[in-house]
Amino acid sequence: MSPSHARRAKPWNQRLAPYLFVLPNMLIFGLFVVYPAINNFNISLYDSRNGRDFTFVGGANYQELLSSEAFWSAARATAVFATCFVVLTTVLSVALALMLNRRIKGRAFFRTVFFLPVVLSPVVVGLIWGWIFDRGNGLLNTVLGRIGLGQPGWLVDGGLAMIVVIFVGLWMHIGFYILIILAGLQGIDPTYYEAARMDGATNWQQLRKITLPLLRPTTMVVIILSLIAGFQAFDYIWTLTGGGPIGATTLMVQYIYENAFESPIRYGLAAAASVVLFITVFALTLLNFLYGRRKEAT
Amino acid sequence: MRRILASCIAMVTLAACAPGTTSGGGSEQVDDKTLTYLYFTDGPDEQATRSLIADYEKKSGVKVDLQIVPFDNLEQRLQARLSGGNAPDVARLTNISPFRSDLLDLNQFQKAALDGQFIDGANAYVKGANGELLAVPSDLTMNGPMVNVDQFKKAGVSLPDVTKPWKWEEMVAAAQKVQKANKTQYAIAMDVSGHRFSTMLSQFGTAFFSADGTSVGLDTQKTTAAVKLFADLNASGVMPADLWLQAGSKYKAANEIFLAQQTPVYISGNWQVSAFAKDATFTWAAAPNPCQETCGGFPGGKFMVSFKQSKRQQAAADFIAFMNSKESQERLAKEANFLPTRKDLISSGVDYPQRDADMKVFLADVSRTPPQAFASSYSPAFAATAKATVDALGKVLAKSQTPEQAVETIKAAAEKAIKDTK
């Protein structure tokens, strides 16, 4: 009997079982992710100021986006934020995970300290850091003022505000990425290191020749996840800077939010911006994925 | 694989229908003696509203379900409910523009009680193209300054005469003297809001829109003068530039600066009266708006509406008429320190049980405020223009735009907003 014939001979309920197991999840995913995403593209072809009266405008929303200074400003800010966030997240999470993977004193304490911000509400994080970075009455400037270092306008200077936003984002998320890298490190077979030590490899060589190459798939996951997080950043920035000063930290999601939910409402424009954001993130994720696959193959 | 493809095609087909639902015209009416009232509270008005509702329930036998939602969430919730065919019977709004096509013509049910009873300045906003009454101005707000009396006294600076308003330069000079004597961080603070800045524009003799609200009304010279003064005051530290820049695109009140006694003059509005009566630990008072080319402040307000979707249109209109009758509005005004919108109450005045003198200052400024300010405030294009104004002013404070460029930006935004709302 050929294998294909054996497959055909399986009773129908056995053939159906796997599909039945994934069906609930597929239904929920389809209903709450796929359908809204498709419908969002549909909405981007209409103009609506109230969510009920829709006028078909074709690609006019996309044209308006491309000629909108606010959109390009948000796109630029998002690119800067996401690039810095991804690079710093990847480098720092690997470095800190390597440190926390060693048998250092107070390892559990440090792991807790790094992970704690992950469970905080982003809104609260934004508010707390807002009080810390406030120029006039903030905790940081009070300390800096006392030691004669002046009072930088952390949240009133565009460049500084972007640095603050990136820093707070790292502080809030780094624990999560450290955990992922730590899991990757735990998965490396210790015999590789034993063999390397027997061959006289230094710590630096072990890191370069064993740890980092074997950590590449995990690092890829961190890059992809932080890339998506970087492009979707909104909540804590909204409470920390409100997108200011003068739009310096207004990222794409805030641009979408303001058009969709704040007067004057522009559902179509917000939907078009969402489509652009989706395509951008999807393309970058795919490129990363393909690059990672190619690296692994070589 | 083929099945997955088929599912995807089905979804695309499903999604390819025109989104949204059309706002229904009439709906089947019921008389079940109940009403839903979607409401947001400014604080002191909630108890007054509840007691008025209790009276109405006794009088009419109608049970009113007061549904209080956060202000930030009001518009989204209402949009969602209208989309789902689940509109409340009555709602309290600050901005009726996004809902104009959904609103019930109250003249069909309560023309005698409502039509022509309220400030004329709101007519262009609350009336439909064919004279329908789409909303009732249920309370009026008036922007204006409040002063820290203790700090003025300590500095030996006399308070402005409420019957003879000060000029802008007089207010600035007095505030700076008080600031110096009391070593406060700032001399004048203003909420981060295009609505509040419109007060300055009005005093400089201009407004976003023309008196009929159909075209841009900004006078370049006057607007530039107002923007320049605002920029100078912020650059010199008279006003807190950081507050404006740190707010981003969000509204931010400067009330905490005033309550912390870090500014002797605070430009906000009458809705702060109740809050300050409770929270201020010093003596304060409302001061008349400064004059420049014109006097008065800048109006705003809340509106009561019903919807075409409502299944209880008659009951909704009756309830709106009751809540906005002379007696009810006077009671609400007294208990919540609100300003009335009824012509008869504005002309007769209201005696407030608390902070009467302050409320009288705001009320006096209502009559000093030019009609163009009302037209501007109640224009459907106001929200978008105000938002663009906050951004443009932020750029001036950050020195990335000159006042002249900012004026052009604001004018362009006003043009676009008018076009978008037509």
Side-chain angles (χ1 to χ4, degrees):
Chain A
M1 197 188 286
S2 70
S4 63
H5 184 76
R7 254 202 314 273
R8 269 203 306 274
K10 264 187 179 177
W12 68 269
N13 56 351
Q14 273 190 35
R15 272 184 287 140
L16 204 64
Y19 296 103
L20 284 174
F21 281 120
V22 297
L23 185 68
N25 197 23
M26 290 302 287
L27 277 176
I28 290 166
F29 184 75
L31 195 65
F32 293 107
V33 177
V34 179
Y35 172 72
I38 294 166
N39 202 34
N40 179 76
F41 174 72
N42 187 34
I43 290 170
S44 75
L45 304 175
Y46 288 81
D47 185 33
S48 173
R49 313 283 162 139
N50 61 11
R52 289 172 311 287
D53 306 318
F54 286 82
T55 313
F56 183 78
V57 292
N61 286 321
Y62 292 92
Q63 273 178 328
E64 192 176 335
L65 272 188
L66 297 178
S67 61
S68 158
E69 194 197 320
F71 170 77
W72 285 113
S73 166
R76 275 193 302 272
T78 306
V80 170
F81 176 85
T83 305
C84 295
F85 185 73
V86 171
V87 171
L88 290 169
T89 294
T90 309
V91 171
L92 284 174
S93 62
V94 171
L96 291 167
L98 285 168
M99 187 188 84
L100 293 172
N101 200 38
R102 300 170 74 98
R103 286 195 176 79
I104 53 166
K105 215 172 176 179
R107 185 167 70 164
F109 167 76
F110 284 116
R111 284 185 179 186
T112 309
V113 164
F114 281 115
F115 188 73
L116 213 55
V118 175
V119 296
L120 291 177
S121 153
V123 171
V124 172
V125 167
L127 287 171
I128 290 170
W129 283 104
W131 294 330
I132 292 169
F133 281 112
D134 184 83
R135 174 154 66 177
N137 308 303
L139 183 68
L140 181 62
N141 277 1
T142 304
V143 173
L144 292 176
R146 292 251 166 97
I147 56 176
L149 290 176
Q151 296 201 315
W154 298 107
L155 304 176
V156 300
D157 174 279
L160 284 178
M162 182 55 92
I163 291 168
V164 166
V165 158
I166 292 164
F167 165 77
V168 175
L170 283 169
W171 178 84
M172 195 168 67
H173 292 113
I174 199 78
F176 172 68
Y177 298 109
I178 288 172
L179 270 190
I180 294 172
I181 299 289
L182 271 173
L185 287 169
Q186 311 281 325
I188 298 174
D189 191 337
T191 55
Y192 292 137
Y193 295 108
E194 284 168 24
R197 275 196 295 271
M198 284 171 72
D199 289 340
T202 61
N203 283 346
W204 175 243
Q205 285 170 325
Q206 286 176 47
L207 175 72
R208 275 188 54 229
K209 301 291 183 185
I210 300 168
T211 311
L212 292 181
L214 289 175
L215 213 53
R216 191 173 288 131
T218 318
T219 313
M220 217 63 233
V221 170
V222 166
I223 289 171
I224 289 169
L225 287 178
S226 61
L227 184 80
I228 294 167
F231 272 90
Q232 289 183 339
F234 167 60
D235 37 24
Y236 78 93
I237 299 173
W238 180 245
T239 52
L240 176 62
T241 65
I246 55 165
T249 59
T250 298
L251 307 190
M252 279 290 283
V253 176
Q254 184 176 323
Y255 176 84
I256 292 163
Y257 170 84
E258 285 179 355
N259 277 294
F261 301 118
E262 290 202 331
S263 247
I265 283 169
R266 299 289 311 276
Y267 278 126
L269 201 65
S274 303
V275 170
V276 171
L277 182 65
F278 170 77
I279 290 167
T280 308
V281 175
F282 184 78
L284 287 169
T285 306
L286 196 67
L287 280 173
N288 263 307
F289 185 73
L290 293 173
Y291 174 77
R293 287 265 298 262
R294 215 182 63 193
K295 276 291 227 190
E296 271 179 66
T298 56
Chain B
M1 189 65 211
R2 266 178 307 179
R3 258 181 268 177
I4 292 168
L5 198 66
S7 306
C8 285
I9 290 165
M11 274 188 187
V12 173
T13 312
L14 189 63
C17 308
T21 55
T22 48
S23 317
S27 54
E28 202 181 313
Q29 297 299 294
V30 294
D31 183 18
D32 56 0
K33 297 285 182 189
T34 63
L35 269 182
T36 52
Y37 183 16
L38 189 73
Y39 192 83
F40 71 91
T41 178
D42 294 303
D45 53 291
E46 186 186 339
Q47 198 42 53
T49 299
R50 284 188 188 279
S51 71
L52 278 169
I53 286 172
D55 285 0
Y56 183 72
E57 286 178 333
K58 250 187 245 163
K59 183 177 148 234
S60 65
V62 173
K63 180 92 186 84
V64 180
D65 175 18
L66 184 68
Q67 302 172 342
I68 299 181
V69 295
F71 174 69
D72 288 348
N73 208 242
L74 176 77
E75 207 169 297
Q76 295 163 36
R77 279 202 198 199
L78 191 50
Q79 300 276 21
R81 285 181 68 164
L82 284 160
S83 296
N86 178 34
D89 298 306
V90 181
R92 179 184 194 232
L93 302 174
T94 54
N95 179 14
I96 68 167
S97 300
F99 308 103
R100 288 187 90 84
S101 59
D102 301 289
L103 301 178
L104 180 72
D105 175 14
L106 297 166
N107 275 348
Q108 289 177 15
F109 304 94
Q110 283 285 359
K111 189 175 168 71
L114 298 172
D115 204 28
Q117 302 296 325
F118 303 91
I119 42 171
D120 290 329
N123 276 348
Y125 187 58
V126 299
K127 289 283 178 88
N130 302 312
E132 309 94 323
L133 183 64
L134 302 176
V136 166
S138 52
D139 79 80
L140 178 71
T141 62
M142 180 50 54
N143 295 352
M146 276 148 285
V147 295
N148 185 320
V149 176
D150 291 346
Q151 290 179 339
F152 267 70
K153 272 186 184 160
K154 189 183 166 187
V157 176
S158 52
L159 292 170
D161 183 345
V162 294
T163 58
K164 217 168 75 169
W166 44 7
K167 291 253 183 234
W168 255 99
E169 49 270 35
E170 289 169 344
M171 185 175 83
V172 172
Q176 283 181 295
K177 257 190 209 163
V178 179
Q179 177 192 17
K180 207 171 163 187
N182 290 273
K183 295 186 173 58
T184 59
Q185 275 183 298
Y186 312 106
I188 301 170
M190 186 199 277
D191 298 331
V192 180
S193 148
H195 186 271
R196 235 62 83 237
F197 181 73
S198 292
T199 318
M200 272 182 93
L201 287 179
S202 178
Q203 287 152 0
F204 275 71
T206 188
F208 288 157
F209 309 107
S210 57
D212 62 359
T214 58
S215 59
V216 176
L218 287 164
D219 177 283
T220 303
Q221 214 179 340
K222 291 169 181 176
T223 310
T224 308
V227 172
K228 269 187 175 155
L229 175 62
F230 180 77
D232 290 346
L233 292 175
N234 277 279
S236 61
V238 170
M239 281 183 167
D242 282 10
L243 180 83
W244 202 277
L245 290 167
Q246 283 183 197
S249 65
K250 291 184 296 183
Y251 164 79
K252 193 161 175 60
N255 55 340
E256 286 172 13
I257 300 172
F258 186 65
L259 287 172
Q261 303 202 63
Q262 289 305 320
T263 182
V265 177
Y266 170 37
I267 299 168
S268 187
N270 68 287
W271 58 92
Q272 300 283 10
V273 169
S274 272
F276 287 172
K278 203 162 61 175
D279 300 332
T281 55
F282 51 89
T283 314
W284 62 274
N289 271 287
C291 299
Q292 203 65 18
E293 192 162 315
T294 61
C295 296
F298 194 77
K302 323 287 186 310
F303 301 86
M304 279 181 80
V305 299
S306 182
F307 300 92
K308 291 172 187 169
Q309 268 187 28
S310 169
K311 291 186 171 65
R312 303 168 191 90
Q313 294 174 355
Q314 181 65 60
D318 294 349
F319 176 64
I320 291 171
F322 169 83
M323 292 296 279
N324 293 283
S325 64
K326 190 179 178 198
E327 298 71 25
S328 298
Q329 216 180 71
E330 186 171 18
R331 209 167 113 191
L332 188 72
K334 281 180 172 180
E335 288 180 38
N337 282 102
F338 276 7
L339 293 169
T341 56
R342 291 185 62 97
K343 290 175 188 170
D344 47 11
L345 279 175
I346 292 171
S347 61
S348 68
V350 175
D351 292 321
Y352 293 87
Q354 67 160 2
R355 311 294 311 193
D356 184 56
D358 303 304
M359 293 307 295
K360 292 277 198 296
V361 171
F362 283 110
L363 206 51
D365 266 335
V366 172
S367 49
R368 289 191 196 111
T369 302
Q372 194 183 359
F374 283 90
S376 208
S377 174
Y378 294 137
S379 163
F382 182 84
T385 313
K387 196 170 177 225
T389 302
V390 171
D391 292 344
L393 290 173
K395 284 178 179 163
V396 173
L397 300 192
K399 302 209 167 26
S400 67
Q401 210 174 49
T402 63
E404 290 79 7
Q405 288 169 322
V407 172
E408 289 313 308
T409 305
I410 297 166
K411 280 175 91 169
E415 285 281 7
K416 186 177 182 300
I418 284 179
K419 207 173 83 198
D420 285 347
T421 49
K422 269 177 183 164

